[in-house]
Amino acid sequence: MLGLRGALSAGAWFCRALLVVGACAGVDALAEPVEDGELVGPLAPQLPVYVQYLEGRAWIVDARGAETALREGMQVDDKEGIRTEDSTFVSLVSGDGSRIVLPSSSQVELHWEEEHERLQIMLRQGQVESYVRKQAEDDEHYQVLTPVGVLGVRGTHFRVRIAEGETRSLSEVLEGGVAARRVDDEQSAVLVGARQGLNLLPQGELRPVELLPAPRLLGQGGRDMSSGNWTLLLQPLPGATRYRVQLASDEQFLRIRQERFSETPSVNFSGLPVDTYHVRLSAFDDNGLEGMTSVYQILYLPAWRRNAP
């Protein structure tokens, strides 16, 4: 893991404010953004990938469609896939150190393309977040394929999502760059740069747009702390239609514990054990694109626990 911190925290603005839960409290000012250095390494086998972390229930799907319960430490090889259930998060690591994170209700298939010696992630449902290690060779060694398009990278941090009930995919680049095009249409290719997003549509011009900035955390609260409820209060962000908050055990967000979506800047969690959490905030624009992220480190300690003798 030495040296991976820069790429794994790509695009995040870090606030090292350690907070204790209680009545709504203020937070320290945001720190300056962390500049991420490039990670360059020799080519290494990218398959099989290994299950580094699992929260919830997920399944390996073989080439015949048979499913086996996923466990940490298992390997997933060529022509195999993963399907996650609700409230599930899976983190995978490939041989070159790249990371793949699948949230709830997602499904992918892994393929090794012999001709170009690259890993292809076929996204069938939901979302995939990729932290791709940059290689010395100037080639696309990692691709995400959706029913609509192809996104190729050399080294970057980006998300790809299939819009539910719609024939389109959305991609947001937090660091680096992504070459995006429609399936079987090389002429449609565009470059999506850092802090940009793209609605990949079957027709029309493909035009990257700027992502929303990262939301700020105003404070936290909750009247009935004995119930385990925890409310995070975000500063309203102009242009945001909804917010996403993720809680993780690690600052790289490979061990995600819970996430919530909210149309208001007040986001509620429940059933959490006492712990220090890394909290990641983001907001969606009216095109459905998820913006940049801010990260806070917060100690969750319910009032009843703090007042206990």
Side-chain angles (χ1 to χ4, degrees), residues 119-231:
L119 175 62
Q120 293 181 324
I121 309 296
M122 303 186 70
L123 180 61
R124 300 300 190 191
Q125 177 183 339
Q127 176 178 301
V128 59
E129 183 168 10
S130 304
Y131 304 83
V132 183
R133 188 177 179 87
K134 185 175 177 61
Q135 301 290 358
E137 285 79 358
D138 194 23
D139 292 314
E140 290 181 3
H141 61 280
Y142 182 100
Q143 289 182 330
V144 175
L145 283 65
T146 76
V148 183
V150 179
L151 300 104
V153 303
R154 298 167 185 169
T156 190
H157 175 194
F158 72 112
R159 303 179 292 244
V160 182
R161 182 172 65 262
I162 296 178
E164 187 175 355
E166 299 183 42
T167 310
R168 63 170 179 153
S169 58
L170 304 98
S171 180
E172 302 101 16
V173 180
L174 306 181
E175 181 192 4
V178 169
R181 62 174 175 83
R182 294 190 185 93
V183 175
D184 300 324
D185 185 1
E186 298 281 353
Q187 301 303 314
S188 66
V190 296
L191 178 64
V192 187
R195 299 177 176 266
Q196 289 186 327
L198 178 70
N199 266 296
L200 223 171
L201 303 168
Q203 297 177 339
E205 182 182 2
L206 299 182
R207 181 179 299 174
V209 298
E210 294 299 314
L211 297 176
L212 286 177
R216 295 174 62 93
L217 180 64
L218 290 180
Q220 52 187 320
R223 295 182 178 179
D224 186 12
M225 292 301 176
S226 61
S227 69
N229 292 331
W230 186 23
T231 301

Side-chain angles (χ1 to χ4, degrees), residues 40-89:
V40 180
L43 286 171
Q46 293 175 296
L47 284 178
V49 299
Y50 293 85
V51 181
Q52 184 179 35
Y53 174 71
L54 170 64
E55 173 79 19
R57 289 166 55 86
W59 310 88
I60 289 182
V61 185
D62 68 19
R64 299 170 298 172
E67 296 187 344
T68 304
L70 195 70
R71 300 188 307 275
E72 290 183 3
M74 293 179 73
Q75 67 181 41
V76 188
D77 213 333
D78 185 31
K79 298 181 177 62
E80 294 183 327
I82 294 178
R83 179 179 66 84
T84 64
E85 295 189 355
D86 292 342
S87 303
T88 296
F89 303 93

Side-chain angles (χ1 to χ4, degrees), residues 225-245:
M225 292 301 176
S226 61
S227 69
N229 292 331
W230 186 23
T231 301
L232 295 178
L233 306 174
L234 285 59
Q235 182 176 342
L237 185 66
T241 59
R242 66 171 179 155
Y243 299 87
R244 182 188 196 186
V245 179

